[in-house]
Amino acid sequence: MGQDQPRHADLDAVVVGAGFAGLYALHRLRQQGLSARIYEAGDDVGGTWYWNRYPGARCDVESLQYSYQFSPELEQEWEWSERYATQAEILAYIEHVVERFDLRRDIVFSTRVTGARYDTPAGRWTLSTEAGGSVSARYCVMALGCLSAAHLPRFPGLETFQGRTVHTGAWPHEAVDFAGQQVAVIGTGSSGIQCIPLIAEQADHLTVFQRTANYAVPAWNGPLSAERVKAVKSDYRGLRARAKTRPTGYLFPTNSRSAMADTPQQRTAVFEEFWRNGGLGFMAAYGDLFTNPHSNAAAAQFVRGKIRAKVDDPAVAELLIPDTVIGSKRLCVESGYYETFNRPNVTLIDIRATGIECVTPAGLRVAGEDYAFDAIVFATGFDAITGSLLRVDIRGSEGQALRDKWSGGPRTLLGLAAAGFPNLFMINGPGSPSVLSNMVQSIEQHVDFIVALIAYMTESGYATVVADVAAEDAWTAHNQEAVERTLRATNDSWYVGANIPGRPRVFMPYTGGVPAYLERCAQVVADNYAGFTFS
Ligand code: NA7
């Protein structure tokens, strides 16, 4: 939206971001008869799946569920090839959706929105862009993604490095060739755990710098069988409805018993069964793994044993074994990760006590020792959940900054609206199930809620809607109560913003589960949008 871009002063709604959330928002707003347009920083659609192109990038929710459900025809016609879809396949799916629903004509690419200001007398949002352009609309939908603001720590000397640097969350579009190279990976979260096995296959030598060991369970990924696809497609509506009854909003086998109700032998058998099933569903092996420290410890012990068995060198195995509450950081889903450390061309360096001292022109210095590299891969994560929102200078009805409002942690109503910020909606914002749920399902639910709210306003002749302070306070307090009933906030993680210097430590996603969240949303609607004020 530079000089050559038209001003769209007559828009009803402006949507920021062309990932799963923004695209569905555009589709639904259009269906509602509103003029809407997406502004997207990237050169194309896909959001998270546009940026995260690192080798091994996959979704950790199964492909048959990590997909839109608004169109039964789309559900039937799209063919997923594997249990967990690759980044490339998810991006192809998103591109297909864009063409099928003719969304591209209302997307402005390569345009980063840097500011959003509410003009109270006009009752409109004006968004400004990096290139100096602006656009105004009555409604503003922030569809910025929870894991989209890549975090590159300020390592001293970073700019002096003579080799290549890449961040997993902003991977180049052309393939990066590590053949014959000395490569470093910093970070062993999901992104590191996914890319390390593939980089190890290519590089002459790979050195992994690990600050904190993470728990990872096997994906057991593979091609989807025709029978499984047929079974799902013959009752997709049933699957989607059943998924909504689960805390995570997606289906996998569960066991509601307490781990403490079983003998150690029985527990091992149950953990083994869930381990064999693989993926994030491991944490459903018992009903109390997120709440009972003894049950959690039993699960952690089981996984530690599995890691020990996979890694040949006992000293390396011990470094790879976490000592924390399992699930307090996001569980990782792996394919050949631990075995990678049995390769002769892979070295693990523990930086827990020392950190990275600095980047040098030739490589990295750690604990006074210099390591030479041709390339450094930063798998250092994201300024999660609030980062993408706070990077935009968002100003509310009194000119107040969202950054100031959230200086002590995010405050929202239902994770989709904020007091003082009329007609502004967040998709999967802090205080909603978001990253603890099936993101695509939660996106559709948020967008449907917002579009219904706008329809209600149109029918009732209202021009503005804003969250009440009291309702926002109550929801924010409820979020904290909910997480205190769990073990989820017991660790430093991106869930609590601990990876970003200066962030207040607040658990950001809603931990009460999808069914409770849906019930709360339904109640708000039934009460004529109680907690919102219209004018
Ligand atoms: P994560 O899970 O935040 O992992 C980032 C990793 O980078 C983690 O191991 C961090 O160690 C490490 N890190 C971060 N900063 C530093 C510094 N300064 N020095 C050394 N190491 C550092 O991000 P991912 O991209 O892997 O995954 C994010 C989510 O995307 C994932 O959970 C899935 O939901 C998809 P730490 O643990 O902070 O000690």
Side-chain angles (χ1 to χ4, degrees):
M1 194 171 24
Q3 303 270 311
D4 52 340
Q5 296 279 357
R7 288 174 59 93
H8 301 284
D10 54 346
L11 282 181
D12 293 318
V14 61
V15 179
V16 189
F20 270 108
L23 294 169
Y24 183 56
L26 173 62
H27 177 61
R28 293 287 284 112
L29 288 163
R30 265 190 195 168
Q31 277 184 334
Q32 201 59 38
L34 300 177
S35 60
R37 187 168 286 261
I38 295 178
Y39 290 88
E40 163 60 50
D43 296 340
D44 212 329
V45 295
T48 290
W49 302 106
Y50 171 87
W51 297 106
N52 284 267
R53 295 168 186 245
Y54 59 84
R58 278 176 200 280
C59 186
D60 55 10
V61 174
E62 294 184 18
S63 57
L64 284 162
Q65 298 193 63
Y66 190 81
S67 52
Y68 288 120
Q69 55 189 286
F70 70 86
S71 163
E73 297 77 20
L74 173 66
E75 274 175 341
Q76 292 298 323
E77 75 198 17
W78 184 262
E79 299 289 347
W80 294 106
S81 65
E82 293 176 87
R83 180 180 179 187
Y84 296 98
T86 59
Q87 171 272 333
E89 194 167 33
I90 298 171
L91 190 57
Y93 169 78
I94 293 173
E95 285 165 354
H96 170 75
V97 170
V98 167
E99 301 318 320
R100 195 185 193 290
F101 297 95
D102 190 22
L103 300 177
R104 197 171 282 275
R105 65 185 157 88
D106 282 324
I107 309 174
V108 179
F109 292 106
S110 313
T111 303
R112 181 173 293 279
V113 170
T114 50
R117 180 176 287 274
Y118 188 66
D119 177 348
T120 301
R124 296 181 75 81
W125 282 93
T126 299
L127 276 64
S128 47
T129 75
E130 204 167 45
S134 68
V135 60
S136 101
R138 197 140 63 89
Y139 300 104
C140 176
V141 180
M142 292 296 187
L144 296 168
C146 290
L147 294 160
S148 53
H151 171 58
L152 179 59
R154 293 186 181 170
F155 296 109
L158 182 58
E159 66 294 343
T160 67
F161 182 58
Q162 298 297 301
R164 180 163 199 186
T165 58
V166 272
H167 192 291
T168 48
W171 200 263
H173 284 208
E174 71 286 1
V176 180
D177 186 7
F178 295 111
Q181 295 195 352
Q182 303 288 312
V183 180
V185 172
I186 303 175
T188 52
S190 288
S191 303
I193 283 174
Q194 286 187 335
C195 70
I196 282 166
L198 291 154
I199 296 176
E201 283 174 14
Q202 262 195 25
D204 190 45
H205 195 94
L206 171 65
T207 308
V208 176
F209 292 87
Q210 173 189 274
R211 189 164 70 179
T212 313
N214 256 310
Y215 294 98
V217 294
W220 306 124
N221 188 39
L224 277 170
S225 71
E227 298 76 56
R228 165 99 174 109
V229 172
K230 194 169 163 215
V232 168
K233 289 194 173 180
S234 65
D235 183 28
Y236 235 135
R237 299 270 63 75
L239 176 137
R240 303 294 199 182
R242 289 192 299 282
K244 290 189 176 83
T245 68
R246 294 294 177 80
T248 55
Y250 56 98
L251 284 174
F252 41 69
T254 57
N255 170 20
S256 60
R257 284 168 68 79
S258 163
M260 293 299 103
D262 279 355
T263 64
Q265 290 75 13
Q266 287 168 329
R267 276 202 293 272
T268 302
V270 170
F271 286 137
E272 193 64 49
E273 183 191 331
F274 279 77
W275 181 265
R276 275 204 308 274
N277 202 34
L280 298 174
F282 176 76
M283 290 302 287
Y286 284 102
D288 61 352
L289 297 186
F290 282 113
T291 50
N292 183 326
H294 303 293
S295 300
N296 187 284
Q301 200 51 33
F302 176 86
V303 177
R304 289 186 196 119
K306 288 289 186 189
I307 299 171
R308 221 166 256 131
K310 285 177 190 227
V311 181
D312 296 342
D313 181 336
V316 174
E318 289 315 306
L319 290 179
L320 289 167
I321 291 174
D323 56 7
T324 47
V325 165
I326 186 168
S328 57
K329 280 189 189 234
R330 190 183 179 91
L331 191 63
C332 301
V333 179
E334 59 90 25
S335 299
Y337 174 66
Y338 294 108
E339 293 82 352
T340 298
F341 293 91
N342 297 334
R343 295 174 65 105
N345 71 330
V346 176
T347 309
L348 179 67
I349 306 283
D350 175 25
I351 56 166
R352 189 173 187 163
T354 60
I356 301 283
E357 193 177 317
C358 64
V359 182
T360 65
L364 294 170
R365 185 171 304 148
V366 171
E369 193 169 334
D370 282 320
Y371 299 83
F373 295 111
D374 300 300
I376 303 174
V377 174
F378 295 101
T380 46
F382 300 90
D383 187 351
I385 304 178
T386 51
S388 54
L389 286 156
L390 295 177
R391 285 182 186 188
V392 180
D393 184 14
I394 302 175
R395 304 278 170 156
S397 52
E398 311 290 328
Q400 71 277 37
L402 189 69
R403 286 172 191 158
D404 293 337
K405 178 185 168 85
W406 286 1
S407 61
R411 311 185 69 75
T412 68
L413 178 55
L414 297 172
L416 51 75
F421 295 79
N423 290 7
L424 178 97
F425 303 107
M426 296 165 264
I427 311 292
N428 278 344
S432 70
S434 62
V435 292
L436 301 182
S437 69
N438 177 351
M439 290 288 278
V440 185
Q441 180 196 281
S442 290
I443 282 166
E444 288 182 282
Q445 188 261 333
H446 263 190
V447 170
D448 290 345
F449 183 97
I450 292 161
V451 169
L453 173 58
I454 291 175
Y456 171 81
M457 289 172 68
T458 309
E459 282 159 24
S460 315
Y462 293 125
T464 60
V465 60
V466 67
D468 297 342
V469 174
E472 181 182 85
D473 286 349
W475 182 249
T476 304
H478 172 61
N479 269 265
Q480 290 316 304
E481 285 152 24
V483 75
E484 278 159 23
R485 290 197 292 268
T486 76
L487 302 167
R488 285 188 183 271
T490 55
N491 201 354
D492 286 346
S493 69
W494 55 259
Y495 291 143
V496 297
N499 60 328
I500 304 298
R503 275 269 184 284
R505 192 191 174 94
V506 174
F507 196 92
M508 294 182 282
Y510 177 58
T511 52
V514 166
Y517 182 79
L518 294 179
E519 205 180 304
R520 185 65 74 105
C521 288
Q523 194 57 53
V524 166
V525 176
D527 294 344
N528 290 322
Y529 294 98
F532 291 94
T533 294
F534 298 92
S535 55

